[in-house]
Amino acid sequence: MMMYVAFIMSIIFMVSLVGVSSKPSPIYGGLGLIVGGAMGCGIVFSFGGSFLGLMMFLVYLGGMLVVFGYTTAMATEQYPEAWISNKVVLGGFLLGLVVEILAVFCVLESENMGIVFDFGGLGDWDCCGVGSFEVFSEEIMGIAGLYSYGTWLVVVTGWSLFVGVVVVMEITRSN
Amino acid sequence: MNPFIYIIVLMTLILSTTIVTTSSHWLFAWIGLEMNTMAIIPIMMKNPSPRATEASTKYFLTQTTASALLMLAIIINLMYSGQWTIMKVLNPTASTLMTTALAIKLGLSPFHFWVPEVTQGIPLSAGLILLTWQKLAPISILYQISPSVNLHLMLTMSMLSILIGGWAGLNQTQLRKIMAYSSITHMGWMTTILPYNPTLTLLNLMIYIMMTFAMFMLLILNSTTTTLSLTQTWNMMPTITILIMLMLLSMGGLPPLTGFMPKWMIIQELTKNDILTLPTLMTLTALLNLYFYMRLAYSTTLTLFPSINNMKMKWQFYPTKRMTLLPTAIVLSTMLLPITPMLSILM
């Protein structure tokens, strides 16, 4: 059972994203994103990336989704569209659900569950260090590498996020 | 637009294409493509209107779908090859997905539907950037993965693009839509030769950019977006009238002009590979393109289109619009054919 925890979390992840993309009102979309984000964090946890999972909880769910929730609450209507209030939304959700169940059966019936588990490599036990062979967590070494070798990547990513905000502000202001 | 914001957006546009063309890491190339999409949206929304909003939304949705497909292909490539270097993609699933994603970004058939609608809804200068600068990044990635591109997929998409670009452009009178269908056709020619000789793809791209730039500059000078208003050019700027005809004939690929060079080279390269049906079909369907260019040249330059008598007696003022690089672009787009043996300097 514990072996399949990442698989189950990915199923709930997909179902919540289907709930988001079947286009209910943004409030309910945000609810779907919360569940999806939490499941995504869970998958990252189960692969050993505890720091990055908690980082995602903090920044994504605790920062970005909170801001999204506040702005949606300011712009919401009196009778928001839920998943069961409209046949179109319900139909879209059910279609996504049916396809997801079919995909799950396909993965469970096949011999090799290569889609989910078989990523190859040493997993999170990677050997860094030249002289003595020490064992470090690949995730921590990746984060350390991001801020040392990957300075330019941080600059470019920061700039593109800044430009994203500038673009949205520029488009939505009325002149 | 606020000049400070405009500078930031333009610099980001240039930076994004530079990142895509100079990176060797797949993630970085993907980041560059996303920055490219984000940075051009305010340029398309320079004059806010529901039409421009619709065009920007269509552009954004198609480009992000393509980016998502590209990310999927990158991760499948990572799973099967274990590395992030941009080189030929050995896994066929990843290669097919990547080719499809880049075809959506370029506007190849059957993913061409967004090109005319987006080009029509935005101002002429934004359309110029959309049809020239935005093609550089995806073609640079295609050039780098060209040894592994699925031949059947690529040739089908490009042949369909040439056919649809020519055929669907026949019924258009709006100049921006004509330029969009011209772009689809030229992208089809470029990607035909990609699996065989990618250098010719770059040659075709450079010449296409020069021709499209010159054509758009002529249209911006006239401030015309319809065939009808273009037909009044003879009274306002007689020199431009002749230049429009030369540009249109060059875009159609007629021999003494530059536009013939890429078509000639591509057909020669294809026949060297013992393929005869494809270049025949391509040349025949390029005639459809030539037809609507000729129709524009006919109504603008070769005949006086019917108009009321007031329109035939205008004051000819000196044009006050800044004609950025117009003479250079026109000379380069019409007179480069004799130096074809030196064409390697274009790369």
Side-chain angles (χ1 to χ4, degrees):
Chain A
M1 171 60 200
M2 218 33 216
M3 225 168 70
Y4 292 101
V5 70
F7 186 52
I8 293 175
M9 281 197 283
S10 70
I11 298 174
I12 305 176
F13 177 71
M14 282 310 299
V15 168
S16 69
L17 287 186
V18 165
V20 171
S21 58
S22 55
K23 286 185 287 287
S25 154
I27 296 269
Y28 294 104
L31 178 63
L33 281 180
I34 290 175
V35 177
M39 290 301 117
C41 294
I43 297 172
V44 174
F45 285 148
S46 71
F47 278 102
S50 47
F51 176 67
L52 284 174
L54 286 173
M55 180 79 80
M56 187 166 140
F57 257 114
L58 199 70
V59 173
Y60 184 72
L61 295 179
M64 296 181 349
L65 258 184
V66 164
V67 172
F68 175 72
Y70 275 129
T71 53
T72 315
M74 281 198 290
T76 191
E77 54 209 1
Q78 197 182 9
Y79 296 106
E81 194 95 62
W83 290 289
I84 50 177
S85 65
N86 187 356
K87 283 198 207 51
V88 178
V89 177
L90 183 62
F93 184 65
L94 287 179
L95 178 67
L97 207 58
V98 161
V99 173
E100 171 66 19
I101 292 173
L102 284 175
V104 165
F105 270 129
C106 278
V107 169
L108 284 177
E109 295 307 308
S110 70
E111 265 100 48
N112 47 341
M113 283 178 50
I115 304 175
V116 177
F117 285 96
D118 184 33
F119 282 116
L122 292 166
D124 54 336
W125 297 104
D126 208 292
C127 289
C128 311
V130 180
S132 60
F133 285 104
E134 300 159 23
V135 173
F136 293 110
S137 158
E138 188 178 359
E139 167 216 17
I140 301 291
M141 283 297 117
I143 297 166
L146 176 67
Y147 287 105
S148 59
Y149 300 107
T151 311
W152 178 237
L153 181 63
V154 172
V155 169
V156 165
T157 317
W159 180 257
S160 58
L161 291 174
F162 169 68
V163 165
V165 172
V166 161
V167 160
V168 170
M169 288 290 138
E170 180 61 34
I171 294 174
T172 53
R173 77 168 181 177
S174 53
N175 41 349
Chain B
M1 215 195 311
N2 185 1
F4 185 52
I5 306 284
Y6 194 54
I7 299 265
I8 288 183
V9 164
L10 270 179
M11 290 293 128
T12 310
L13 192 61
I14 298 174
L15 177 69
S16 62
T17 307
T18 313
I19 286 179
V20 175
T21 51
T22 58
S23 77
S24 53
H25 194 277
W26 271 120
L27 187 66
F28 240 116
W30 185 84
I31 291 177
L33 284 172
E34 286 289 285
M35 276 170 73
N36 212 8
T37 311
M38 300 275 339
I40 202 180
I41 302 284
I43 298 179
M44 297 207 292
M45 292 274 292
K46 221 184 328 190
N47 310 324
S49 70
R51 193 69 185 84
T53 312
E54 180 191 345
S56 310
T57 314
K58 281 179 187 165
Y59 183 73
F60 184 73
L61 286 176
T62 50
Q63 298 286 306
T64 42
T65 312
S67 286
L69 279 175
L70 184 65
M71 184 46 108
L72 177 63
I74 291 171
I75 294 190
I76 294 178
N77 181 36
L78 174 68
M79 203 158 93
Y80 284 98
S81 66
Q83 46 89 34
W84 289 93
T85 320
I86 297 182
M87 46 183 272
K88 67 177 181 180
V89 171
L90 293 163
N91 184 13
T93 313
S95 171
T96 312
L97 273 173
M98 220 172 260
T99 314
T100 314
L102 294 169
I104 299 176
K105 282 207 176 276
L106 283 177
L108 285 177
S109 274
F111 311 111
H112 65 281
F113 293 99
W114 61 271
V115 188
E117 303 180 25
V118 171
T119 318
Q120 180 65 20
I122 55 182
L124 273 170
S125 48
L128 167 64
I129 298 179
L130 178 75
L131 291 182
T132 54
W133 184 258
Q134 298 291 87
K135 310 292 181 193
L136 288 175
I139 290 208
S140 78
I141 299 185
L142 270 176
Y143 180 82
Q144 288 169 305
I145 64 170
S146 63
S148 57
V149 159
N150 185 357
L151 189 70
H152 304 295
L153 177 66
M154 200 82 241
L155 289 185
T156 311
M157 284 200 294
S158 50
M159 186 62 229
L160 212 53
S161 300
I162 303 173
L163 180 65
I164 288 186
W167 206 345
L170 284 179
N171 201 21
Q172 306 299 333
T173 54
Q174 292 285 333
L175 295 174
R176 286 173 289 184
K177 280 207 172 118
I178 287 181
M179 294 308 295
Y181 284 113
S182 146
S183 157
I184 296 172
T185 313
H186 283 274
M187 288 300 132
W189 276 90
M190 277 182 233
T191 48
T192 302
I193 201 62
L194 187 76
Y196 297 104
N197 191 355
T199 314
L200 289 179
T201 304
L202 295 183
L203 172 74
N204 200 349
L205 179 68
M206 291 297 127
I207 293 180
Y208 160 73
I209 287 180
M210 276 191 299
M211 292 193 299
T212 310
F213 179 78
M215 193 65 205
F216 263 102
M217 275 296 143
L218 286 169
L219 295 181
I220 290 173
L221 187 61
N222 276 330
S223 299
T224 58
T225 55
T226 60
T227 310
L228 186 59
S229 53
L230 195 63
T231 57
Q232 302 303 319
T233 322
W234 63 272
N235 203 357
M236 295 189 290
M237 289 171 272
T239 328
I240 302 293
T241 318
I242 304 172
L243 294 176
I244 285 182
M245 183 180 86
L246 288 178
M247 280 314 308
L248 287 168
L249 293 180
S250 182
M251 283 206 297
L254 286 191
L257 306 170
T258 311
F260 180 57
M261 190 203 308
K263 291 192 164 62
W264 174 21
M265 294 289 118
I266 287 176
I267 293 174
Q268 185 171 10
E269 197 62 34
L270 284 174
T271 53
K272 275 187 209 164
N273 278 291
D274 282 332
I275 305 162
L276 298 179
T277 327
L278 184 66
T280 316
L281 280 176
M282 283 161 61
T283 320
L284 287 177
T285 48
L287 284 177
L288 294 168
N289 246 316
L290 185 61
Y291 177 74
F292 60 78
Y293 294 143
M294 276 302 303
R295 187 168 55 196
L296 270 181
Y298 177 78
S299 58
T300 310
T301 312
L302 300 176
T303 58
L304 294 184
F305 214 62
S307 57
I308 54 178
N309 277 339
N310 282 347
M311 304 285 269
K312 297 183 184 143
M313 292 176 283
K314 288 192 197 161
W315 286 113
Q316 293 187 0
F317 296 107
Y318 280 115
T320 51
K321 266 199 156 79
R322 189 189 317 173
M323 300 179 265
T324 319
L325 285 182
L326 184 62
T328 315
I330 289 182
V331 167
L332 286 178
S333 319
T334 50
M335 300 208 232
L336 274 186
L337 196 63
I339 61 168
T340 305
M342 279 182 64
L343 53 80
S344 53
I345 62 170
L346 280 170
M347 275 144 275

